[in-house]
Amino acid sequence: MTAIVSRSFDSADETRPFEDGKGRLDLLNTDKGAVGRAVFEPGWRWTEHVKPIAGTDSCQAHHVGYVVSGRLHVVMDGGGEEGDLNAGDFYEVQPGHDAWVVGEEPCELLDWMGFGAYAVPPNS
């Protein structure tokens, strides 16, 4: 077992592009599971740029992570709870939500729970 592991998202094990070139997900596979870095470009919205890939009505991933830069607005299904995730924030978002970039700055997230099966076509 290696005591120290250091890897770069710039050399990700997998990159998943979003629809219309509105960003990407870079994944590093570890022995503890996938860790992801997502870059959402201005104008990105889950229902427009990931829903066609995922094939679900809303995001069904459970996310736990950190906002590196930018701002993302998240709305839970059924018109329930909503809020912004801002640069420097830790976040946890339960399954069943939509989200979109707020403003003209890309939003970059690191997520160590919900990105392993994110933006994957059904039956892949």
Side-chain angles (χ1 to χ4, degrees):
M1 181 169 117
T2 303
I4 298 172
V5 175
S6 176
R7 300 187 51 207
S8 172
F9 282 106
D10 294 333
S11 299
D13 294 319
E14 181 181 356
T15 295
R16 299 176 189 162
F18 302 137
E19 296 284 313
D20 301 326
K22 287 293 185 179
R24 70 185 187 284
L25 170 62
D26 300 316
L27 283 177
L28 296 176
N29 296 313
T30 76
D31 60 352
K32 304 287 189 221
V35 178
R37 171 183 68 181
V39 178
F40 304 114
E41 297 295 335
W44 177 90
R45 184 176 184 133
W46 189 91
T47 51
E48 295 175 24
H49 302 104
V50 180
K51 179 180 178 176
I53 300 167
T56 57
D57 288 334
S58 62
C59 181
Q60 296 303 304
H62 179 184
H63 299 285
V64 176
Y66 176 78
V67 182
V68 176
S69 64
R71 184 165 52 145
L72 199 67
H73 188 76
V74 181
V75 177
M76 300 306 295
D77 288 352
E81 193 174 348
E82 65 182 88
D84 286 345
L85 308 179
N86 298 290
D89 287 351
F90 163 84
Y91 62 85
E92 181 172 5
V93 178
Q94 298 295 321
H97 57 272
D98 190 9
W100 55 89
V101 172
V102 176
E104 297 304 316
E105 178 184 357
C107 182
E108 182 178 347
L109 306 176
L110 299 178
D111 192 308
W112 48 85
M113 186 169 180
F115 279 161
Y118 189 82
V120 176
N123 304 317
S124 290

